[in-house]
Structure formats: structure tokens, C-alpha cells
């Protein structure tokens, strides 16, 4: 009973009623389950300093295809309950041979195994892995001092296997004290190492032994709005550097990319390929598997909490000219997208996206698979004799999404018919994951009210609208979008 109580308190602390308490976990690795986005939450994980069990939350996916023909994902691990990024204490590795059935090979490394690491543990941030000369080299950022923010090293662990028996052998001497290591091996066998954060990206050569730099690293030139999360892949003789940008606002980073004729640049910015996912950060990898390119990244659609992220994967399309199409990860419209065409349009709140291979609606307490149609269970929808159906009791971290088709771009006025009895309630509205309204505080009168939210701008490529609750609780009836004459 004590163990279950601890878990309930933990969930209450971080407002995670959707993380179902499990009486016991399956930690007999490897364990395989069939799953879609978000990935890996069907696997079990211990909670932080607790014997209770919850979903396995992962981020910062590093995806590789090794010689055994399987695709492997090396990911960081958000511990529950969330506390920023300082409880990222261990790494898991996953693999698949069909992109549907995923195997969790278990934990391959944690902070306690790093003798030179910071005394408080944690801070096992985004890793990468490389294979050369019959060995697997695992690179991970970790501070070597309590003052973690400026004492990062790039640790190196080595194994004969891709999924187990990694041993820490030290760190990469001479590398910038930055985060997010990335290793790319070119067609000629030359290995390159990259890292960086806070707006700076560095690159350089590795020696044949994969554990020493071959010369000094240099700062990459030509990147625009670089934040962190370097990833390198090659396509048709061109080098692609993808990264998270510095996009401000409540919904977080986008993933952008640049191209070059050289693995060390200079680079030419090519724009965004993943819109903000609503969880503050993003970190991606791009890989080809069995003739299809894939984009890995993370969101917090399952938890509703920025500190409890989940790896996702979607097909990636590289066009004939080498440019990358924006990854479609916003789900499918319930019936059809709402049309923006210089006339008033009413979007009923209950007509949120079905999700497709993603989620189009998040309400804590309902752990449903991503491609389930929530309306079959009438979840979150209530009926009022006067106004008809509405979405009930959306609270902090919960959201709804609606696909759009823009025929007449421009500025439109957004109003929301809602009921709110909490004076602390706040929300914002985003288009393509970009905050359009700022944090809004609706009138707390407990009655149905038409709230004039803001003037928002629809672009030709505006694909979807999100309504996200930041605090409090509210009922939503409909959205009214009107042209500004």
C-alpha cells in the first residue's frame, strides 16, 4: 500500500493523472510490444526514487541502422515526476525490424556508472552512437562538476554489442564543453564529431580509434537560428545538418535543416521540417530504413507535461530538388478541415482531429492508443440542452487540435464560446505550433461567454490550430473565425 501511495503522491505533484499506476513492471529485457506514436510509453519505468511504476518517457532519439539489419534508437529518459531536465538519469536502447514492433533492450547506462560525473547524478542528456571497427561507441553529455551548466564533457562508452554491455572509458579530450554530441561517418570511413548548444555548433574530425579528436574542432558557419541538437545525414552527395532552432513562445523549438557540400560546412539554411510540438524543446534524427526516410523527434502529447516527453517517428519526404517537406504530425481532421476563405467559419470544439498516427486531443486520465477515435467513448464531450455538444473541463496541459485549409490568407478575428469558473485560468492559441495570442485570461464568471481572443494570421501553409490550456479549467463550445474587413 505504501508503494502505491508514493506513486499517487508523485502523480499529484506533477499533475499526471494519465500516467496509470502499475502494481508491477515488466523489466525482463528484452521486451517487445507493438506500438504507434508516441513511442515507448507502453513500456514500464520506475518512478524517481520510488518503487512505483509508470510509463517510460523518452526524448532525444538517435536513430541508426546497424549491420544486423535492425533500426536502433538510443534515447534519453525523463524520470517521473518531472523536474526540468535534471532527472534525466539513464539511457535506454530500442530496436525494430518493421517500424511497428519495438523492442526495449533495457537500460544501457546511468549516471552512477560515470566515475568522473557530477556528484548529484542526473543530467544524462541527448546521446548518440556510432559503429566502427567492430565496436559500438556511445557518446553522451554529462557535467563533471556540481556547477553543471558550464562543465559538460562528452563521455564515451564502448561495447561489442549495440544493445548492452557498454563500459565508460572516459571522455572526449579537447571537445568543447557543450551538449548534444553527434557522430557522422562518411562514405570514405572518416568519422566526424559535432556538439553544441546555446546558439553555437562545433564540428571536427575523429581519429580512427573513435575516442580522440583529429585536430581542433571549429564553429560551423552559415547556420541560421541554431539552438542545439545537431544531426548529420547524407543524401545524393549533399550533407544535411538538422537542429533545433530558438523559436520562442509556449510551444517551443522547431526542427530546421541546412545543407552543404562538405561535412564541416559552410552551411546553407533550408528552413523548417518539424513544427513546434508543444513541449518546449525538440531534438531529432533522420535515417533511411528499408527504402524509406524517417524523422525522429519528441513531443509531450501523452503526458501533457513538458518534462515528460515521448519519442515519435514519421515518414520523411525528400523532394527531387533535395529539399525536405514539413513532417505531417498533426493528425487527421475529424471529418474535414475547416476552411479559411474570407468568411465567418464556426469550428465546433468537439470536432478536434482524430489523430491518425498521432493524437489530436489530450485529456489526462484517458490513456488511449494514438489512432483511436476518442468520440467512440464520448470522452470529454458533454451535451447541453441549449448549446448542444461541448468539450468539458479542459485543464492545465490539455489541448485540442483542428486541421485547416487556407484559401484566403490574411488576418482573422478569433472568438471562443466558453465557460470558465476559475479566476486563474489561462490559455493560448497556436497555428502550426506557433503561439498567436500569448497567454490569455478569460472572464471567470462561470457562464457561457463569447470571448474575443485575438486577431490571428493565417498563412497559405497554415495546417492546423491548437487550443492549449496553461492553467485552471474551462469548458469549450465553439471557435468563431471571422474576416477583418
Amino acid at each position: 500500500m505504501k508503494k502505491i501511495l508514493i506513486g499517487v503522491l508523485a502523480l499529484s505533484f506533477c499533475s499526471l493523472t494519465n500516467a496509470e499506476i502499475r502494481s508491477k513492471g515488466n523489466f525482463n529485457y528484452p521486451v517487445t510490444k507493438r506500438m504507434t506514436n508516441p513511442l515507448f510509453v507502453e513500456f514500464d519505468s520506475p518512478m524517481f526514487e520510488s518503487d512505483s511504476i509508470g510509463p517510460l518517457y523518452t526524448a532525444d532519439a538517435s536513430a541508426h541502422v546497424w549491420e544486423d539489419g535492425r533500426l536502433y534508437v538510443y534515447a534519453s529518459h525523463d524520470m517521473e515526476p518531472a523536474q526540468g531536465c535534471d532527472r534525466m538519469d539513464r539511457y535506454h536502447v530500442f530496436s525494430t525490424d518493421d517500424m511497428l514492433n519495438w523492442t526495449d533492450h533495457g537500460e544501457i547506462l546511468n549516471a552512477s556508472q560515470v566515475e568522473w560525473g557530477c556528484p548529484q547524478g542526473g543530467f544524462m542528456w541527448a546521446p548518440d552512437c556510432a559503429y566502427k571497427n567492430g565496436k559500438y561507441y556511445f557518446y553522451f553529455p554529462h557535467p563533471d562538476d556540481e556547477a553543471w551548466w558550464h562543465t559538460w564533457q562528452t563521455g564515451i562508452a564502448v561495447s561489442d554489442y549495440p544493445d548492452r554491455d557498454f563500459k565508460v572509458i572516459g571522455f572526449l579530450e579537447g571537445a568543447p564543453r557543450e551538449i548534444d554530441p553527434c557522430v557522422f561517418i562518411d562514405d570514405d570511413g572518416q568519422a566526424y564529431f559535432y556538439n553544441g548548444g546555446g546558439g553555437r555548433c562545433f564540428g571536427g574530425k575523429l581519429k580512427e580509434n573513435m575516442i580522440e579528436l583529429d585536430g581542433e574542432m571549429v564553429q560551423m558557419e552559415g547556420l541560421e537560428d541554431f539552438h542545439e541538437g545537431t544531426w548529420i545525414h547524407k543524401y545524393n552527395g549533399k550533407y544535411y545538418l538538422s537542429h533545433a532552432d530558438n523559436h520562442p513562445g509556449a510551444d517551443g523549438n522547431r526542427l530546421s535543416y541546412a545543407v552543404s557540400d562538405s561535412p564541416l560546412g559552410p552551411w546553407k539554411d533550408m528552413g523548417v521540417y518539424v513544427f513546434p510540438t508543444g513541449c518546449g524543446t525538440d531534438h531529432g534524427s533522420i535515417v533511411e530504413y528499408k527504402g524509406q526516410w524517417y524523422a525522429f523527434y519528441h513531443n509531450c502529447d501523452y503526458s501533457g507535461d513538458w518534462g515528460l516527453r515521448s519519442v515519435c517517428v514519421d515518414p520523411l519526404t525528400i523532394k527531387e530538388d533535395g529539399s525536405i517537406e514539413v513532417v505531417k504530425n498533426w493528425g487527421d481532421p475529424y471529418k474535414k478541415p475547416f476552411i479559411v476563405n474570407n468568411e465567418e467559419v464556426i469550428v465546433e470544439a468537439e470536432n478536434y482531429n482524430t489523430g491518425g498516427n498521432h493524437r489530436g486531443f489530450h485529456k489526462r486520465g484517458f490513456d488511449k492508443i494514438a489512432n483511436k477515435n476518442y468520440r467512440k467513448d464520448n470522452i470529454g464531450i458533454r451535451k447541453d440542452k441549449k448549446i448542444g455538444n461541448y468539450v468539458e473541463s479542459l485543464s492545465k496541459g490539455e489541448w485540442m487540435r483542428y486541421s485547416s485549409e487556407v484559401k484566403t490568407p490574411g488576418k482573422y478575428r478569433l472568438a471562443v464560446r466558453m465557460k470558465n469558473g476559475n479566476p486563474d485560468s489561462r490559455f493560448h492559441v497556436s497555428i502550426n505550433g506557433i503561439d498567436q495570442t500569448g497567454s490569455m485570461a478569460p472572464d471567470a464568471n462561470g457562464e457561457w461567454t463569447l470571448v474575443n481572443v485575438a486577431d490571428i494570421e493565417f498563412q497559405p501553409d497554415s495546417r492546423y490550430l491548437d487550443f492549449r490550456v496553461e492553467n485552471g479549467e474551462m469548458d469549450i463550445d465553439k471557435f468563431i473565425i471571422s474576416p477583418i474587413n
Side-chain angles (χ1 to χ4, degrees), residues 350-478:
E350 66 270 18
N351 290 341
Y352 48 82
N353 282 8
T354 58
N357 194 36
H358 282 273
R359 295 179 170 223
F361 171 83
H362 170 70
K363 186 164 178 61
R364 287 190 294 274
F366 302 103
D367 292 342
K368 302 293 183 181
I369 59 175
N371 59 3
K372 183 176 179 63
N373 185 338
Y374 290 88
R375 292 165 196 78
K376 291 180 180 177
D377 294 329
N378 211 30
I379 292 172
I381 299 176
R382 294 293 178 267
K383 191 168 186 176
D384 182 274
K385 291 183 180 179
K386 293 183 178 180
I387 67 168
N389 292 335
Y390 66 93
V391 175
E392 180 187 46
S393 302
L394 277 184
S395 59
K396 181 178 179 180
E398 298 176 350
W399 53 271
M400 300 179 294
R401 175 169 296 152
Y402 306 85
S403 288
S404 59
E405 180 182 340
V406 179
K407 294 186 176 180
T408 307
K411 286 194 173 183
Y412 290 77
R413 187 149 295 152
L414 173 66
V416 183
R417 183 172 172 84
M418 61 194 308
K419 183 167 64 174
N420 168 49
N422 187 330
D424 297 323
S425 293
R426 304 193 75 86
F427 69 89
H428 72 272
V429 175
S430 301
I431 295 177
N432 287 2
I434 300 173
D435 187 357
Q436 298 288 309
T437 64
S439 186
M440 305 288 296
D443 294 333
N445 57 17
E447 302 293 334
W448 286 110
T449 305
L450 186 64
V451 177
N452 290 312
V453 177
D455 293 346
I456 60 178
E457 186 163 1
F458 285 93
Q459 304 286 351
D461 64 346
S462 295
R463 313 292 181 83
Y464 61 95
L465 179 148
D466 283 351
F467 181 90
R468 292 182 176 268
V469 180
E470 299 174 0
N471 199 45
E473 187 175 274
M474 55 196 76
D475 300 339
I476 310 297
D477 174 32
K478 65 183 64 177

Side-chain angles (χ1 to χ4, degrees), residues 8-19 57 80-82 302-305 308 362-365 395-398 471:
V8 172
L9 289 174
L11 288 174
S12 176
F13 172 76
C14 64
S15 301
L16 281 174
T17 58
N18 74 317
Y57 292 108
E80 184 183 4
Y302 188 87
S303 70
D305 189 310
L308 295 173
H362 170 70
K363 186 164 178 61
R364 287 190 294 274
S395 59
K396 181 178 179 180
E398 298 176 350
N471 199 45

Side-chain angles (χ1 to χ4, degrees), residues 310-328:
S310 298
V311 167
C312 293
V313 62
D314 282 287
L316 183 82
T317 299
I318 304 178
K319 296 187 286 190
E320 288 187 7
D321 64 0
S323 62
I324 298 176
E325 289 187 1
V326 173
V327 173
K328 186 181 182 298

